[in-house]
Amino acid sequence: MLAGNALVGQSGGPTAVINASLAGVVETALKSKSIRRVFGMRFGIEGVLGNDLLDLGAEPAETWKGLKSTPSSTLGSSRLKLKDEHFAPVLKCLKKYDIRFLFMIGGNDTMDTIHRVVEYARSHGHEMRGVGVSKTVDNDLFGTDHTPGYPSAARFVALCVQQAGLLARDMQRVDQFVIFQTVGRSAGWLPAAAALAKSDPGDAPHILLLPERPFDRDQFLAAVRKAHKKFGFVSIVCGEGITTADGSPVSASQTRDKFNNVEFGAMGGTSAAMQLHRLITQEFGWRGEFQVTESLQMCASDRVVPLDIKEAYGCGKQAVKLAEKETSGVMVTITRESKPGQPYRACFGTIPLSEVANHERPLPDNFITADGMFVTKAFLDYARPLVGELPRFTNLKQFKAKP
């Protein structure tokens, strides 16, 4: 039986529950008969390259209890893309600390990192097992019903749009429209979540701009005009990665990170929400506002869904159990067992790391309305059990006064 030490890291953007996954890995690994010590890499794989590891077994037990409800990435994160020259020093560090079990919590690029590191180590005579723990608010990882972090981020978006919608409704004589922008790159799972805020036709949001559908200027402006005429104001939610039919980003940014992902609105660029604001103002002469919360969607602990914490911790725990059973080269997945209308029920599964790294999961067609500017009941049935009930606010009945 393979025995040795374990190494765990966090990578990519944070979530409100990524530390719960870390706690699940560490607490389970510390009880393992196959794992002697547990180390944590500082700032992702950069910690391995820089020989900057933490002894997580030395932490008091209350640390892991507290981290279950602590947002962001406590080990520090990284977006370093491994190059060929990095693998030799990485393997040197792994051998130095006798690392035989590698766990990383992240998205597509992180799963690719685990796969490449483990394969390189094995090809050089160092036997290892690597298991990935899914994480991303984008919810675009292939092979899983949803990713830990998405339910809480989706709730953040829904609450923001719901409450901003009330403000827009009541301030319509001042501001005629409001635009809320979500993160998520080319995936529409987060802007779609805003639809959960809607209980009546006049409620926000009125228009969803999803990256899975090309942005059409004339269609958009027509929808804005129609909503304004009907409701007196317009609530719009857009994904940061919306593009025109030729693939050009609506945002005026072409900056890319080390994994060749477009960083929308970065480096002084103009966000999609700002561009849409400008378009509406120029067309109608209206005053309005845009709301771009960026990374707050990823780590707002005051809006965490309890289910999200539970599943994030469970994924971390399951990763260690799989490694103990000689499983390697996989990511832990969540499989929904319940049907729409039934109490939510799910279990854990696996998918090969290579499949996760090479595929993305956009919002499926049956979740998007025919006009491409809202979501269907199928999406609402999918998302409601994850996000939970939203608050319902009171409005005036508006009885007309008589003299």
Side-chain angles (χ1 to χ4, degrees):
M1 180 181 293
L2 186 66
N5 299 326
L7 179 63
V8 60
Q10 299 168 313
S11 191
T15 76
V17 298
I18 189 173
N19 286 331
S21 291
L22 176 64
V25 170
V26 175
E27 288 190 327
T28 309
L30 289 174
K31 298 175 184 177
S32 172
K33 294 180 180 180
S34 303
I35 299 172
R36 302 187 186 103
R37 300 177 68 187
V38 183
F39 300 106
M41 57 181 85
R42 288 287 285 151
F43 302 107
I45 202 69
E46 292 184 48
V48 184
L49 287 167
N51 201 37
D52 188 7
L53 306 187
L54 300 179
D55 184 352
L56 300 183
E59 292 284 343
E62 56 264 28
T63 296
W64 308 113
K65 181 179 180 181
L67 281 173
K68 291 178 185 178
S69 56
T70 299
S72 193
S73 305
T74 193
L75 282 175
S77 188
S78 171
R79 289 193 184 276
L80 176 69
K81 183 176 180 62
L82 284 181
K83 298 179 180 179
D84 291 343
E85 61 265 28
H86 290 146
F87 285 94
V90 164
L91 181 56
K92 182 179 180 181
C93 181
L94 296 176
K95 288 182 174 180
K96 177 179 179 180
Y97 287 90
D98 191 26
I99 303 299
R100 300 291 178 171
F101 302 89
L102 176 64
F103 306 101
M104 292 191 72
I105 310 164
N108 303 68
D109 299 323
T110 304
M111 300 306 135
D112 183 56
T113 296
I114 302 169
H115 177 69
R116 293 170 68 197
V117 167
V118 170
E119 289 302 308
Y120 181 87
R122 284 178 175 172
S123 69
H124 287 74
H126 186 72
E127 187 65 24
M128 286 183 64
R129 293 179 194 151
V131 179
V133 179
S134 61
K135 172 264 3 167
T136 177
V137 299
D138 302 354
N139 202 38
D140 62 347
L141 287 189
F142 183 75
T144 186
D145 178 80
H146 59 279
T147 52
Y150 173 70
S152 297
R155 185 173 179 84
F156 178 97
V157 168
L159 287 170
C160 284
V161 172
Q162 180 188 44
Q163 296 175 51
L166 296 178
L167 177 63
R169 178 200 67 191
D170 298 339
M171 295 296 292
Q172 61 183 264
R173 296 299 176 89
V174 179
D175 292 314
Q176 284 76 51
F177 67 95
V178 60
I179 305 167
F180 183 90
Q181 178 177 302
T182 73
V183 295
R185 293 185 180 144
S186 59
W189 296 95
L190 277 181
L196 296 168
K198 197 178 189 74
S199 56
D200 293 312
D203 292 347
H206 303 131
I207 300 170
L208 300 180
L209 298 178
L210 308 167
E212 286 82 0
R213 295 292 183 267
F215 174 75
D216 183 291
R217 178 185 182 278
D218 294 338
Q219 181 191 23
F220 170 67
L221 290 174
V224 169
R225 186 191 299 275
K226 181 179 179 180
H228 184 269
K229 182 178 180 180
K230 189 173 183 178
F231 306 118
F233 75 103
V234 190
S235 168
I236 302 155
V237 178
C238 70
E240 65 178 357
I242 56 174
T243 63
T244 58
D246 65 1
S248 300
V250 172
S251 70
S253 175
Q254 295 295 331
T255 306
R256 292 182 178 271
D257 65 17
K258 295 177 181 178
F259 290 90
N260 203 36
N261 299 311
V262 176
E263 295 185 304
F264 299 101
M267 300 294 288
T270 304
S271 68
M274 294 170 69
Q275 293 285 70
L276 295 172
H277 183 283
R278 184 176 300 161
L279 180 61
I280 293 172
T281 300
Q282 290 174 347
E283 180 72 15
F284 302 112
W286 298 339
R287 169 175 160 158
E289 66 175 58
F290 58 84
Q291 300 160 343
V292 183
T293 59
E294 289 292 340
S295 58
L296 291 178
Q297 299 163 55
M298 303 179 187
C299 59
S301 64
D302 60 320
R303 299 183 180 187
V304 169
V305 179
L307 171 69
D308 207 8
I309 295 177
K310 179 181 178 181
E311 291 186 333
Y313 182 85
C315 284
K317 182 176 180 179
Q318 182 69 6
V320 177
K321 288 185 174 182
L322 288 168
E324 288 180 311
K325 295 177 181 178
E326 302 184 9
T327 300
S328 183
V330 300
M331 180 188 80
V332 178
T333 62
I334 298 173
T335 302
R336 189 180 306 213
E337 298 178 315
S338 53
K339 303 297 182 182
Q342 297 179 343
Y344 174 81
R345 187 179 70 259
C347 64
F348 298 118
T350 63
I351 184 173
L353 292 173
S354 57
E355 290 188 32
V356 181
N358 295 319
H359 295 87
E360 291 184 348
R361 188 178 67 130
L363 201 64
D365 289 341
N366 70 310
F367 282 3
I368 305 174
T369 55
D371 65 4
M373 302 180 79
F374 215 77
V375 293
T376 63
K377 182 179 180 296
F379 171 79
L380 298 175
D381 289 341
Y382 163 86
R384 277 200 182 101
L386 306 180
V387 172
E389 290 294 322
L390 298 183
R392 296 301 173 198
F393 299 104
T394 302
N395 190 23
L396 293 174
K397 300 299 183 183
Q398 298 192 24
F399 299 105
K400 294 293 185 180
K402 298 179 180 180

